[in-house]
């Protein structure tokens, strides 16, 4: 059997490293995020160059944000995350 480049225990080891003082809901959300992110990485067989490109992209979003507009929120809109979490048919609370 060919050895896969991904350690089958890696994801659980990362999740297990979440600190003991983490709130239960935060632990649930972060654990799920880690699992999905690792599954995505394995599914597309993400390369180091592609990962670096993504890191640079996230860094650029942070660098061009300011106190009046966060580009991270804009990116969330582009990816459809805001509408997925908060469909347009529901009133939006004034968080910002």
């Amino acid at each position: 059997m060919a050895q896969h480049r991904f350690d089958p225990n890696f994801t659980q080891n990362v999740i297990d490293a979440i600190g003991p003082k983490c709130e239960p809901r935060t632990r649930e959300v972060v654990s799920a995020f880690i699992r999905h992110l690792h599954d995505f990485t394995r599914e597309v067989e993400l390369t180091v160059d592609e990962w670096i490109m993504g890191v640079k992209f996230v860094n650029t979003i942070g660098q061009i944000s300011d106190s009046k507009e966060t580009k991270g929120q804009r990116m969330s809109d582009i990816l459809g995350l805001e509408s997925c979490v908060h469909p347009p048919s529901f009133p939006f609370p004034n968080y910002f």
Side-chain angles (χ1 to χ4, degrees):
M1 179 191 318
Q3 184 173 356
H4 202 276
R5 72 182 184 120
F6 297 105
D7 175 354
N9 300 313
F10 180 75
T11 298
Q12 191 58 52
N13 291 339
V14 173
I15 291 169
D16 291 345
I18 297 172
K21 294 183 180 180
C22 187
E23 295 289 329
R25 177 64 179 159
T26 301
R27 179 181 305 280
E28 178 183 5
V29 170
V30 171
S31 295
F33 178 75
I34 291 168
R35 277 192 304 278
H36 288 287
L37 183 62
H38 289 198
D39 286 345
F40 164 79
T41 300
R42 288 186 287 268
E43 176 186 338
V44 301
E45 295 191 24
L46 197 69
T47 66
V48 172
D49 288 342
E50 292 163 341
W51 167 69
I52 292 294
M53 179 182 63
V55 169
K56 287 179 179 178
F57 178 73
V58 170
N59 287 341
T60 300
I61 290 172
Q63 291 166 352
I64 62 176
S65 294
D66 57 34
S67 62
K68 295 178 184 169
E69 181 178 35
T70 62
K71 301 300 182 185
Q73 184 178 1
R74 173 85 61 192
M75 196 71 218
S76 174
D77 295 346
I78 291 167
L79 295 173
L81 182 59
E82 179 182 351
S83 293
C84 187
V85 170
H86 192 278
S89 59
F90 291 96
F92 201 89
N94 188 12
Y95 291 122
F96 305 101

